[in-house]
């Protein structure tokens, strides 16, 4: 059931349907006991944050589509509220809605740094690049006060652990001091996601994300500090943002990005109806064209999770976009593979009371 626009101002999702694992469906209903105030006139939905003490932090995966096999995610849900976010369905596992709950009912995993340190000290641990921000953005607004990510970065720096970050948030600039130290040792790189250069489209599609211009400034500042930056033209929305592909790459290269990548729009599970409702509300004249292109890429479906195809789709339209990216990246010098991050420096730092090594 759609939520009144005045209640969801600054949010992308238009509804808050019950998660797929719940036995009962919940919806607002005016029973006449509101003293004349209807449900639609209730106060605007605000962000609430719950704290969680994690027992483990590192998540492992075996997906052939991903360039990493482990990641950490300090937050569940994301206030950035991108309507296309593929992580929305994960909120259903918490008994919450992938709709507005995903944007407004957040979970912060306090104590994450201590858990991470404990896991890295295990004798069985084998070092490889850690990914940060692969599910929800680590630098969403609540990180400003909680500093969970910053504390995790300190642990990774002290262990000389390689790290790859993905974000849209300006708060990454706060941690330049740590990232600069790690970059000097070949231990870190950062991916900045830039979906469009159109500020109006961005505000509708990514309501609480820094503007495209501001994200280009992030690239400039990280690059100036010697931190390798990859421009991520993701996701590309066919018929809406994909005409900007070359312009996005050009702007990213001018800002200092050393490499680039792209991913097609993905609409897994609840993301599909949420995105289609958003299209109908904001771009009704293009909705049919956008969905037609997506279905062409996924065998007639809005989305197919088949490995090897889900990130880019297939068919003529996907091939054309891939060819355009390759040509532009080659022209701009963004097609070079990023250097592998160093794993040979990894070593748990000594703790108070540890026996010192003997120099022979």
């Amino acid at each position: 059931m759609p939520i009144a626009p005045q209640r969801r101002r600054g949010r992308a999702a238009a509804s808050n349907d019950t998660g797929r694992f719940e036995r009962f469906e919940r919806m607002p209903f005016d029973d006449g006991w509101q003293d004349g105030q209807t449900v639609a006139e209730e106060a605007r939905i605000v962000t609430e944050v719950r704290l969680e003490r994690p027992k483990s932090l590192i998540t492992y995966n075996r997906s052939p589509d991903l360039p990493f096999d482990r990641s950490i995610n300090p937050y569940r849900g994301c206030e950035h509220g991108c309507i296309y976010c593929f992580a929305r369905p994960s909120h259903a596992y918490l008994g919450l809605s992938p709709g507005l709950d995903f944007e407004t009912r957040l979970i912060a995993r306090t104590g994450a740094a201590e858990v991470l340190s404990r896991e890295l000290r295990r004798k069985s641990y084998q070092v490889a690049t850690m990914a940060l921000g692969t599910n929800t953005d680590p630098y969403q607004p609540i990180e400003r006060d909680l500093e969970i990510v910053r504390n995790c970065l300190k642990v990774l720096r002290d262990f000389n652990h390689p790290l790859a970050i993905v974000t849209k948030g300006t708060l990454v600039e706060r941690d330049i001091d740590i990232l600069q130290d790690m970059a000097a040792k070949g231990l870190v790189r950062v991916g900045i996601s830039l979906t469009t250069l159109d500020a109006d489209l961005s505000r509708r599609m990514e309501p609480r994300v820094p503007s495209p211009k501001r994200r280009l400034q992030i690239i400039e500042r990280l690059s100036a500090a010697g931190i390798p930056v990859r421009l991520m033209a993701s996701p590309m929305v066919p018929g809406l943002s994909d005409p900007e592909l070359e312009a996005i790459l050009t702007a990213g290269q001018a800002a200092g990005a050393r490499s680039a990548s792209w991913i097609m729009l993905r609409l897994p599970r609840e993301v599909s109806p949420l995105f289609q409702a958003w299209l109908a509300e904001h771009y009704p004249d293009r909705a049919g064209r956008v969905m037609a292109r997506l279905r062409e890429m996924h065998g007639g479906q809005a989305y197919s999770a088949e490995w090897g195809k889900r990130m880019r789709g297939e068919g003529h339209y996907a091939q054309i976009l891939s060819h355009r990216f390759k040509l532009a990246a080659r022209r701009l010098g963004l097609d070079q593979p990023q250097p592998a991050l160093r794993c040979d420096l990894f070593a748990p730092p000594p703790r108070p009371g540890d026996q010192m090594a003997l120099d022979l």
Side-chain angles (χ1 to χ4, degrees):
M1 179 178 178
I3 306 295
Q6 60 267 34
R7 292 198 65 206
R8 54 183 170 86
R9 190 176 307 157
R11 310 292 182 179
S15 62
N16 208 31
D17 294 343
T18 308
R20 64 186 179 279
F21 299 113
E22 301 306 297
R23 294 179 58 193
F24 303 103
E25 183 177 357
R26 301 184 301 273
M27 64 178 62
F29 175 72
D30 183 4
D31 59 4
W33 289 89
Q34 301 293 324
D35 294 327
Q37 183 184 48
T38 67
V39 172
E41 294 171 338
E42 291 177 2
R44 187 190 306 183
I45 299 173
V46 298
T47 301
E48 63 178 68
V49 182
R50 303 176 186 179
L51 303 182
E52 171 188 278
R53 298 288 297 186
K55 295 181 180 180
S56 62
L57 192 68
I58 303 175
T59 300
Y60 293 90
N61 77 83
R62 296 180 180 178
S63 171
D65 291 330
L66 300 177
F68 57 88
D69 70 349
R70 68 199 65 189
S71 61
I72 56 176
N73 287 283
Y75 299 105
R76 303 180 190 271
C78 185
E79 195 174 9
H80 281 162
C82 305
I83 189 60
Y84 52 73
C85 183
F86 64 84
R88 285 181 176 273
S90 65
H91 235 45
Y93 290 102
L94 306 176
L96 299 172
S97 172
L100 285 167
D101 279 351
F102 179 80
E103 306 175 36
T104 61
R105 301 179 70 179
L106 314 178
I107 294 176
R109 310 181 75 188
T110 57
E114 291 81 1
V115 175
L116 176 61
S117 178
R118 183 173 68 243
E119 292 180 315
L120 296 182
R121 286 186 182 276
R122 290 174 179 164
K123 293 182 178 180
S124 60
Y125 183 76
Q126 299 293 317
V127 64
T129 297
M130 188 76 71
L132 173 63
T134 57
N135 197 46
T136 56
D137 200 314
Y139 287 108
Q140 55 183 288
I142 58 174
E143 166 63 16
R144 186 181 306 279
D145 296 322
L146 297 177
E147 296 193 352
I148 299 174
V149 171
R150 183 169 176 83
N151 289 329
C152 287
L153 289 185
K154 291 177 181 178
V155 170
L156 294 166
R157 176 195 59 191
D158 293 345
F159 278 76
N160 283 326
H161 197 293
L163 172 67
I165 300 174
V166 175
T167 185
K168 298 182 180 79
T170 57
L171 275 172
V172 68
E173 296 173 350
R174 177 202 63 190
D175 294 337
I176 282 179
D177 57 334
I178 299 176
L179 298 176
Q180 194 170 36
D181 290 344
M182 297 181 72
K185 298 178 180 179
L187 291 172
V188 72
R189 56 174 173 254
V190 179
I192 301 298
S193 176
L194 187 59
T195 314
T196 177
L197 297 175
D198 185 328
D200 180 62
L201 173 57
S202 175
R203 186 57 55 215
R204 295 173 187 235
M205 191 162 54
E206 315 158 320
R208 299 197 174 205
V209 174
S211 69
K213 181 178 179 180
R214 184 66 182 86
R215 272 177 272 173
L216 289 170
Q217 291 176 346
I218 299 174
I219 296 175
E220 290 179 355
R221 292 171 183 176
L222 293 177
S223 298
I227 301 165
V229 180
R230 173 169 56 108
L231 172 70
M232 304 174 66
S234 306
M236 283 286 98
V237 184
L240 198 59
S241 68
D242 68 321
E244 301 180 66
L245 177 58
E246 289 83 0
I248 291 171
L249 295 178
T250 300
Q253 190 267 351
R258 300 185 187 180
S259 61
S261 63
W262 75 282
I263 294 177
M264 189 69 74
L265 174 67
R266 299 166 53 198
L267 300 179
R269 296 188 181 275
E270 292 92 343
V271 184
S272 181
L274 287 167
F275 182 79
Q276 291 188 60
W278 176 87
L279 266 180
E281 179 179 359
H282 294 279
Y283 297 96
D285 57 326
R286 305 191 207 178
R289 179 185 177 191
V290 172
M291 295 310 301
R293 297 292 83 77
L294 287 172
R295 292 188 178 98
E296 287 175 9
M297 298 179 204
H298 297 291
Q301 305 177 69
Y303 175 68
S304 171
E306 186 177 354
W307 281 348
K309 299 177 182 178
R310 59 180 180 156
M311 298 294 191
R312 304 263 174 94
E314 55 184 344
H316 296 302
Y317 202 91
Q319 291 173 4
I320 290 172
L321 194 57
S322 178
H323 187 61
R324 287 172 53 199
F325 172 83
K326 290 178 181 177
L327 288 177
R330 185 183 308 138
R331 172 173 54 84
L332 296 166
L334 296 174
D335 60 340
Q336 301 301 313
Q338 292 180 295
L341 297 177
R342 296 187 65 178
C343 294
D344 58 307
L345 300 178
F346 175 78
R351 294 172 292 189
D354 284 354
Q355 181 176 342
M356 300 299 290
L358 298 177
D359 294 328
L360 300 179

